[in-house]
Amino acid sequence: MWRHVAANALTLFVVLLFLAAGAVLWGVERWSAPGPLAQAICLRVDSGSTMRRVAADLSDKGAISSPLLFRIGTDYGGYVPLLKAGSYRIPEGASMEEIAAIITRGGANTCGTEIVWRIGVTRTQAQIRDLDPVSGQYVELAAFDPLSGEAPPPLYAEIRDRPDTTFRVVVAEGTTAWQVVQALDAIDVLEGDATAVPPEGTLAPRDYPIVPGTSVDALLARMAEIQSAILAEAWEGRAPDLPFDTPQEALTLASIVEKETAIPEERPLVASVLVNRLRRGDMRLQFDPTIIYGITRGQGVLDRPIRQSDIAGETERRLHGEILYNTYQIDGLPAGPIANPGQDAIEAAVNPAETDYLYFVADGSGGHAFAATLEEHNRNVARLRAIEAAQQAGGGDDAEGQGGADAP
């Protein structure tokens, strides 16, 4: 009898063991299998939230089929202590394993709202944006000019004070150091004002994620450090026999390239015109942006056409006592950079295209026509004037103004 009972007990144990093993295998399969989410969602995890609460929220949103299995999987996998507050994009069909990784991979928001300050050459704009989880694209909710003196829209304070809002500063190529400082000083999530305007050209134009409470000086130091590294690396790999001797001169040349064209493939060509003129030694550079910088010294934009008195250097001399930047009036490079050049312009400056170009002018389509001789350049200018005349006769927009070195 006892032998019979023992045999039955052993059989029952084996059955239970197989059932348990089957349940584990089923659970493992469900844990890593595609989930039921039909389209991407934005999941917000509040500060102090628990995995139980997150599991319930995911279940309510249709992202998981079993809150219990999700809790067991995150507990067994060691995810529970790694849960971070934030907003996370959960893609359609994400498995429970993938979701657990998304909400614990370091707390970086992949969804939700962000405020971006875009510092440009002609204006600075603050954008309040929200990520559409389905398309993966940001939708602008509001925008304003932080330098206008007007109060931001009410939505701004609400979004700014959310714990999961992210912040970025985007500095465009061709901005001046003064413009960057003015914009940063107006960003209320940054601490303090700049103690000084950094030297022109030394701030790297790019995208900077920021954290509220960061000081303006600290952010400027980060920009300067990145630009210094970019310039050092480019200078190390420079072409031989350049007609300038220092990284600072390369930065100056790069800033002119940056102001003359925004088309990536044209930057080495514009740089070649500069380099070819410097090598000749008997041609001044004659670039319009240097006239403008000589007048403004980077503090704002020149809101009028260039006049003959500007070209003659009279305006720069009257305002500043001497001509340091107007390349129609001085030989060689100006006294220093005229803007903050981006990495592509810096690399073009130290590795210009090998051409015999000495001139270029706008081609009427947004780009430039390059020429090696004055005769060819004059034909390009005549072609541009014809395009401009046709556009004016047809009521269209004016073609781009002259974008390069004039004939001497």
Side-chain angles (χ1 to χ4, degrees), residues 139-349:
V139 178
E140 184 177 295
L141 304 177
F144 65 96
D145 180 357
L147 297 174
S148 67
E150 298 179 2
L155 181 64
Y156 170 72
E158 175 189 339
I159 300 298
R160 179 197 60 197
D161 296 338
R162 287 183 184 174
D164 56 346
T165 296
T166 57
F167 305 89
R168 292 189 294 126
V169 171
V170 180
V171 180
E173 293 89 349
T175 54
T176 66
W178 182 88
Q179 288 175 320
V180 174
V181 166
Q182 292 297 301
L184 295 185
D185 283 348
I187 298 177
D188 60 0
V189 302
L190 295 175
E191 290 291 334
D193 291 337
T195 55
V197 176
E200 194 63 81
T202 61
L203 304 178
R206 61 176 51 197
D207 188 324
Y208 295 91
I210 61 173
V211 176
T214 300
S215 74
V216 171
D217 279 343
L219 183 53
L220 288 170
R222 192 196 321 172
M223 295 177 180
E225 181 181 4
I226 292 173
Q227 188 78 320
S228 177
I230 291 171
L231 180 60
E233 182 177 358
W235 184 253
E236 185 68 23
R238 68 189 181 279
D241 302 324
L242 291 172
F244 47 87
D245 302 318
T246 68
Q248 179 67 14
E249 290 173 309
L251 192 66
T252 298
L253 191 146
S255 70
I256 300 174
V257 172
E258 191 66 80
K259 297 299 288 186
E260 284 290 353
T261 183
I263 301 175
E265 56 268 24
E266 282 193 352
R267 290 185 179 118
L269 298 176
V270 172
S272 76
V273 173
L274 279 153
V275 166
N276 289 341
R277 287 196 167 204
L278 289 173
R279 281 180 176 148
R280 279 184 56 132
D282 61 350
M283 295 182 71
R284 285 178 172 165
L285 296 182
Q286 298 184 322
F287 282 82
D288 291 353
T290 65
I291 297 176
I292 296 171
Y293 192 86
I295 295 169
T296 66
R297 290 298 199 265
Q299 298 188 17
V301 297
L302 187 67
D303 56 355
R304 60 171 176 76
I306 294 175
R307 302 166 180 161
Q308 283 300 319
S309 58
D310 302 329
I311 296 173
E314 297 169 9
T315 312
E316 183 177 355
R317 182 181 289 108
R318 174 174 54 82
L319 292 174
H320 305 288
E322 57 183 332
I323 302 174
L324 297 177
Y325 291 91
N326 184 337
T327 55
Y328 283 79
Q329 301 301 319
I330 62 175
D331 297 328
L333 290 166
I338 62 171
N340 292 304
Q343 182 170 356
D344 289 347
I346 292 174
E347 292 176 352

Side-chain angles (χ1 to χ4, degrees), residues 61-114:
K61 294 179 182 295
I64 60 174
S65 56
S66 172
L68 175 61
L69 181 58
F70 184 81
R71 294 201 308 271
I72 293 173
T74 53
D75 185 47
Y76 181 79
Y79 291 101
V80 173
L82 302 178
L83 180 64
K84 300 291 192 304
S87 292
Y88 306 97
R89 182 178 184 270
I90 310 299
E92 62 179 274
S95 68
M96 286 187 269
E97 184 178 24
E98 291 169 335
I99 294 173
I102 289 171
I103 63 177
T104 60
R105 63 169 52 128
N109 289 349
T110 57
C111 194
T113 54
E114 72 168 9

